[in-house]
Amino acid sequence: MKLGAFTKSFEDEYNLSRELALLNDLAQRGGPVPKVLATDHRALTIEMEHRGQSLAEWMHERPDHEVVQMLAPALAAFDRVARLGVFHLDVAARNVLLESSGSRQAQV
């Protein structure tokens, strides 16, 4: 499993604070979200744990039948977040992280 970090930048303090609050709330309630590693309010960035690769990257390396099988865990992750009261509104393969190619575990 490839471990690393991903830094997300924001346009303003409000959006950074909102995203940080949502990530922390979802993580505390067991949501399938990446762990926050660091926050820089001056640079308006959040650094998050990045495991594996995005579904978008992964699906280019796989046959169609494997991609279809991985859609269930990816959609389940979005569903789990929604059941916790947060609606992502950007359901896209780039927003799904797979822990490893065979794990069938996904994060939003």
Side-chain angles (χ1 to χ4, degrees):
M1 173 175 22
K2 177 176 136 188
L3 293 176
F6 169 76
T7 301
K8 184 172 180 180
S9 299
F10 296 85
E11 293 181 14
D12 55 48
E13 177 67 30
Y14 172 78
N15 286 316
L16 179 144
S17 296
R18 186 169 174 252
E19 179 98 2
L20 184 59
L22 284 171
L23 285 169
N24 288 330
D25 177 58
L26 289 168
Q28 288 176 350
R29 295 188 292 146
V33 295
K35 179 181 176 182
V36 174
L37 301 173
T39 305
D40 186 334
H41 289 270
R42 286 189 207 168
L44 299 174
T45 59
I46 297 175
E47 185 177 344
M48 296 171 272
E49 185 176 67
H50 190 288
R51 295 175 171 257
Q53 63 187 149
S54 74
L55 179 59
E57 295 166 334
W58 179 86
M59 59 192 245
H60 291 294
E61 303 168 2
R62 302 288 187 266
D64 290 345
H65 73 278
E66 286 184 31
V67 173
V68 170
Q69 289 175 345
M70 191 52 81
L71 291 178
L75 292 174
F78 280 104
D79 179 61
R80 198 159 156 218
V81 167
R83 290 178 187 272
L84 292 171
V86 176
F87 299 93
H88 194 281
L89 302 180
D90 189 9
V91 178
R94 70 180 177 278
N95 289 328
V96 177
L97 293 176
L98 304 175
E99 290 193 18
S100 68
S101 61
S103 77
R104 297 187 56 84
Q105 296 292 319
Q107 292 181 330
V108 175

